[in-house]
Amino acid sequence: MSASNVCPWRRVALGDIFQIGSSKRVMQSDWRPQGVPFYRAREIVKLARDGFVENDLFISEDHFQSLCESGGAPQCGDLMVSAVGTLGACYVVREEDRFYYKDASVLLLRPKADLDPQFVRYAFLSKELLSQVEAGEGATVGTFTIERARKATIPFPPLDEQKRIVAALDQAFAALNRGRANAEANLEAAERLRQDALDASFSTIAAQSASVELQEAVHPDCGLSYGIVQPGDEVDGGLPIVRPVDLTQREIGLAGLKRIDPAAARGYSRTTLQGGEVLLCVRGSTGIVSVASQELAGANVTRGIVPIRFDPARVLRDFAYFQFRSSLVSNQIAGKTYGAALMQINIKDLRALRFLVPDLETQRDIVRKSEAVLADTQALCRSYQAQLSDIADLRQSLLQAAFSGQLL
């Protein structure tokens, strides 16, 4: 018999069972290098995920005490919910916690009914509640407001049933978390194996061959230039452009690319693609690399990408692709990357990267070995990624059962 047949469940709005609000404004000028931790949404997300956070923002003890006197400081049993960026990450305040939080970025839910806070924390992990968090009617994109939080609803059984469900989910999730940790460790090991094999191949070549500056290795017509600085808005049927966010697989095609007014590409003929270029990310996640498929001929790239074309009579494209993925080149890029808010590498440093150009037969041999290792490790990675997907699906199945009264 399901729990719903023996215990009266009802659906409640969070505003009916919680006092929901945010903090008093703390100005950036009030931040201190030490004192009482001050958390933004990103810290709450980490707390919700890991149970701890290494924080670098604080407010003074005196300031914290004044905020406590106003009743706005988090208390044991309160729920802290991220309200910008990653929405709906939920952390239950513990007895030993002592921190303050950023207004509007984090919501505080203080129980005003008899409930188990951990039951509601699990509700925030469910697709049913997250869909309300992320896509509420009339919602501002990327924000979970106090008003939307008050209107969000959850199934709500009596307290004894809440505690039973929490205990069952705690036990099940502990086992799933162990399985996820093992799969993640195996996935990391498979990726490390691939990288180690790639690095070993290029280390052997480096010991036998001299390197040249990248600008000397590319095709004479390749100027190693940035792409379009201001591509503008999406235009139906417009010019396809490749952005750093598109570099998610080895070969990039037309599918899913943003299209812009061709007029925005005037003056950027030097980065017009012919197909077959190595596409290197030079802003944000510097060093990420893909290859342009032949169907991208005539397309262009944005400011964050440099297209790199080689003379196939001297440098094989796939050899160049694997060399950019090796630590031999990626470490150079990391060493020349600068910036805080936006990481980037400038063109001068890019052109001066040291690049190996052995004979073509050696290049073909490296490509064959790298492809074989890539195929083997991709099979392993797919297996571990499937395990992680299965674990995520099982988590949601358990949550659905729990919040429909079917968890026995």
Side-chain angles (χ1 to χ4, degrees):
M1 181 180 295
S2 71
S4 60
N5 290 329
V6 296
C7 296
W9 286 59
R10 57 196 175 101
R11 192 164 194 88
V12 300
L14 293 181
D16 293 336
I17 56 176
F18 289 100
Q19 176 185 334
I20 303 176
S22 192
S23 66
K24 290 185 177 294
R25 176 68 58 87
V26 174
M27 308 302 291
Q28 189 168 346
S29 58
D30 294 321
W31 295 355
R32 298 289 182 267
Q34 58 186 6
V36 178
F38 180 70
Y39 293 157
R40 299 155 295 183
R42 70 190 71 174
E43 283 79 33
I44 296 301
V45 171
K46 291 178 182 176
L47 278 171
R49 182 187 64 209
D50 303 327
F52 67 92
V53 62
E54 294 182 1
N55 184 55
D56 57 0
L57 293 180
F58 303 85
I59 59 175
S60 70
E61 181 67 36
D62 288 344
H63 193 178
F64 179 68
Q65 287 300 331
S66 68
L67 293 168
C68 287
E69 290 171 4
S70 68
Q75 302 174 7
C76 181
D78 288 346
L79 273 62
M80 313 302 298
V81 180
S82 60
V84 297
T86 301
L87 304 181
C90 180
Y91 174 72
V92 179
V93 180
R94 297 173 295 192
E95 185 70 40
E96 65 270 23
D97 285 330
R98 195 166 184 269
F99 63 87
Y100 203 64
Y101 62 104
K102 192 175 189 305
D103 60 293
S105 294
V106 180
L107 300 184
L108 183 149
L109 280 63
R110 178 159 294 164
K112 60 182 183 181
D114 205 11
L115 58 82
D116 186 333
Q118 296 294 343
F119 176 82
V120 183
R121 179 183 69 84
Y122 275 120
F124 271 101
L125 293 174
S126 69
K127 288 183 178 179
E128 196 270 346
L129 181 52
L130 283 179
S131 66
Q132 299 177 67
V133 170
E134 295 171 351
E137 183 179 353
T140 301
V141 175
T143 305
F144 186 42
T145 64
I146 292 174
E147 187 60 28
R148 286 175 56 208
R150 288 171 177 161
K151 292 179 179 178
T153 63
I154 61 171
F156 196 69
L159 182 59
D160 286 348
E161 180 67 2
Q162 293 178 38
K163 291 183 178 298
R164 186 191 73 81
I165 289 172
V166 168
L169 289 177
D170 281 348
Q171 183 177 11
F173 274 49
L176 290 176
N177 288 341
R178 289 192 295 271
R180 183 178 62 185
N182 288 336
E184 288 173 343
N186 289 334
L187 180 60
E188 182 179 344
E191 292 171 342
R192 188 168 56 248
L193 174 65
R194 176 173 57 200
Q195 189 64 50
D196 289 347
L198 195 62
D199 290 346
S201 294
F202 281 96
S203 294
T204 299
I205 301 176
Q208 300 169 351
S209 306
S211 64
V212 300
E213 290 188 345
L214 180 62
Q215 61 187 350
E216 299 174 17
V218 300
H219 192 284
D221 294 337
C222 178
L224 291 174
S225 301
Y226 301 126
I228 302 168
V229 176
Q230 294 181 324
D233 296 330
E234 181 99 24
V235 173
D236 288 342
L239 176 74
I241 56 168
V242 183
R243 301 162 294 171
V245 294
D246 298 316
L247 305 185
T248 58
Q249 52 193 9
R250 179 170 174 176
E251 185 172 82
I252 306 301
L254 286 171
L257 295 186
K258 179 179 179 180
R259 292 175 179 266
I260 63 168
D261 185 341
R266 289 173 187 163
Y268 292 94
S269 59
R270 62 189 180 277
T271 53
T272 298
L273 300 178
Q274 298 181 17
E277 292 90 348
V278 172
L279 304 177
L280 178 68
C281 180
V282 294
R283 301 188 85 191
S285 300
T286 58
I288 299 295
V289 65
S290 293
V291 173
S293 69
Q294 290 301 317
E295 68 179 5
L296 290 188
N300 215 308
V301 300
T302 64
R303 167 66 175 80
I305 292 177
V306 171
I308 306 175
R309 189 157 53 90
F310 296 91
D311 182 350
R314 189 179 181 212
V315 178
L316 301 177
R317 183 201 66 183
D318 290 338
F319 173 80
Y321 168 78
F322 283 119
Q323 186 169 176
F324 272 105
R325 289 193 57 174
S326 74
S327 296
L328 185 71
V329 174
S330 63
N331 285 348
Q332 294 182 68
I333 293 174
K336 294 297 183 180
T337 295
Y338 67 95
L342 179 63
M343 306 298 287
Q344 56 190 313
I345 178 173
N346 64 46
I347 285 293
K348 179 182 177 181
D349 289 333
L350 177 64
R351 290 170 176 163
L353 294 177
R354 306 304 298 184
F355 198 81
L356 296 173
V357 186
D359 62 83
L360 290 179
E361 187 52 43
T362 298
Q363 293 184 40
R364 293 189 187 96
D365 184 54
I366 290 297
V367 170
R368 283 194 294 268
K369 291 178 179 178
S370 298
E371 295 284 13
V373 171
L374 184 62
D376 289 342
T377 54
Q378 278 182 333
L380 283 174
C381 289
R382 281 194 296 269
S383 173
Y384 299 136
Q385 287 165 346
Q387 291 179 28
L388 290 171
S389 179
D390 289 344
I391 289 171
D393 289 344
L394 184 53
R395 283 166 59 95
Q396 283 301 320
S397 294
L398 287 169
L399 289 167
Q400 183 178 359
F403 291 98
S404 62
Q406 302 300 314
L407 189 64
L408 300 180

